């Protein structure tokens, strides 16, 4: 790989890694300052959005926990009430929700394709309502609306992290091999579990505006901190190989062990978050 191409590749890698971290921090910082709705407020909203339907399950009040990490009282997603309904083949609930949202003057209306029927999300009077279809039924979730400037701060955090990562990795790439390979591998492995899970949630998970992804990082801290300590030792071990060729035994060992640790850490992270995926609910 030519030096210029290596620098570009390293810059893109740094932008992706630290940009994801910045996005998570931006969503946390920008989402603070909200007040969760009371149960009475949530029940009133549910009755207006779906006036002709009755919940088929007990109401579930989510106490602001995700992946085992508790939200503060003013975090976005810190308090939501979920109403469960029986799914229908004719998408009656989806049609009813769409008509109610349009008639009652909700804004920021988003319509997405869900399981069998369309999902809806909208905001009004400091509240966010989301109708979600799944194989097990239909959920109407009422929660707080993100505060003013939330989107701007989230984007600013992502851009700041991406710029910082691109500059740092560009500087590293200017060093002679095998420094870029060793540093790039160790940093990638150290951040890969959190970055991969963050993007998995962003692509397949709930709306970032109502359930921020920052709890992934503190949830993974018990796993990532020991991993980073091991990677630091590997980096110090591999430092002795830097004056030699990229194919020296110490460099190969350091890079190989780092990638293996990354695979193990990613698998452990998936198992950990699977066990902690469901928030604490009071029925």
């Amino acid at each position: 790989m030519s030096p210029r191409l290596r620098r570009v590749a390293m810059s893109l890698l740094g932008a992706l890694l630290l940009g994801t971290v910045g996005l998570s921090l931006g969503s946390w910082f920008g989402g603070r300052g909200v007040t969760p709705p009371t149960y009475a407020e949530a029940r009133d909203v549910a009755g207006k959005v779906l006036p002709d339907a009755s919940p088929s399950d007990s109401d579930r009040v989510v106490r602001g926990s995700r992946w085992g990490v508790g939200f503060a009282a003013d975090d976005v997603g810190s308090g939501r009430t979920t109403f469960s309904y029986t799914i229908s083949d004719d998408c009656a609930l989806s049609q009813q929700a769409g008509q109610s949202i349009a008639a009652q003057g909700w804004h920021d209306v988003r319509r997405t394709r869900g399981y069998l029927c369309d999902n809806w999300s909208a905001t009004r009077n400091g509240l966010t309502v989301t109708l979600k279809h799944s194989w097990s039924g239909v959920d109407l979730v009422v929660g707080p609306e993100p505060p003013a400037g939330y989107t701007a701060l989230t984007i600013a955090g992502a851009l700041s992290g991406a710029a910082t990562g691109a500059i740092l990795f560009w500087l590293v790439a200017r060093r002679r091999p095998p420094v870029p390979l060793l540093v790039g591998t160790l940093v990638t492995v150290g951040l890969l579990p959190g970055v991969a899970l963050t993007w998995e949630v962003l692509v397949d998970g709930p709306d970032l505006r109502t359930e921020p992804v920052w709890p992934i990082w503190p949830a993974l801290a018990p796993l990532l901190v020991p991993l980073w300590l091991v990677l630091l030792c590997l980096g110090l071990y591999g430092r002795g190989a830097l004056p030699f060729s990229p194919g020296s035994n110490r460099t190969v060992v350091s890079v190989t062990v780092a990638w293996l640790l990354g695979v193990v850490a990613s698998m452990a992270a998936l198992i950990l978050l699977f066990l902690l995926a469901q928030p604490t609910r009071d029925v």
Side-chain angles (χ1 to χ4, degrees):
M1 181 182 293
S2 66
R4 180 178 295 274
L5 184 58
R6 182 176 66 243
R7 293 172 188 174
V8 172
M10 288 285 289
S11 296
L12 293 176
L13 178 62
L16 174 63
L17 294 175
L18 296 187
T20 303
V21 177
L23 181 145
S24 301
L25 291 176
S27 69
W28 165 73
F29 185 77
R32 298 183 63 83
V34 299
T35 302
T38 64
Y39 174 78
E41 292 174 329
R43 186 77 185 186
D44 181 64
V45 170
K48 292 179 179 178
V49 174
L50 296 176
D52 299 329
S54 299
S56 59
D57 194 5
S58 300
D59 307 338
R60 298 170 295 171
V61 179
V62 181
R63 299 298 185 187
S65 175
R66 193 172 185 192
W67 299 304
V69 177
F71 291 160
D74 60 348
D75 283 337
V76 170
S78 59
R80 305 180 308 280
T81 304
T82 301
F83 303 92
S84 298
Y85 301 83
T86 303
I87 194 170
S88 58
D89 296 334
D90 58 357
C91 297
L93 292 178
S94 178
Q95 296 175 6
Q96 185 180 160
Q99 294 172 357
S100 299
I101 288 172
Q104 296 167 15
W106 291 76
H107 58 90
D108 291 340
V109 179
R110 294 179 295 277
R111 180 180 181 179
T112 59
R113 185 62 185 170
Y115 180 81
L116 297 179
C117 305
D118 289 338
N119 297 329
W120 291 90
S121 179
T123 58
R124 188 183 69 171
N125 297 333
L127 296 178
T128 297
V129 62
T130 304
L131 184 74
K132 303 186 297 184
H133 291 78
S134 67
W135 63 269
S136 59
V138 183
D139 287 340
L140 183 69
V141 183
V142 181
E145 179 184 4
Y150 171 81
T151 302
L153 287 172
T154 302
I155 295 175
L159 293 178
S160 299
T164 302
I167 293 173
L168 291 178
F169 273 57
W170 176 273
L171 295 176
V172 170
R174 295 181 62 183
R175 300 286 301 275
R176 297 182 59 185
V179 174
L181 175 63
L182 185 61
V183 174
T185 299
L186 296 178
V187 175
T188 300
V189 171
L191 295 178
L192 183 60
V195 170
L197 290 168
T198 297
W199 281 103
E200 181 182 359
V201 171
L202 291 175
V203 173
D204 300 324
D207 189 351
L208 177 65
R209 289 171 54 85
T210 56
E211 294 192 38
V213 294
W214 69 262
I216 288 178
W217 297 94
L220 287 177
L223 175 71
L224 292 182
V225 171
L227 174 62
W228 290 334
L229 293 177
V230 173
L231 293 179
L232 177 62
C233 295
L234 285 174
L236 295 176
Y237 171 79
R239 188 173 182 271
L242 299 186
F244 304 102
S245 63
S248 63
N249 292 334
R250 299 181 93 180
T251 302
V252 172
V253 169
S254 298
V255 173
T256 302
V257 173
W259 276 112
L260 290 176
L261 284 174
V263 174
V264 173
S266 298
M267 294 177 62
L270 289 173
I271 296 174
L272 175 65
L273 292 190
F274 174 78
L275 296 176
L276 300 176
Q278 296 298 322
T280 303
R281 293 188 173 107
D282 292 345
V283 177

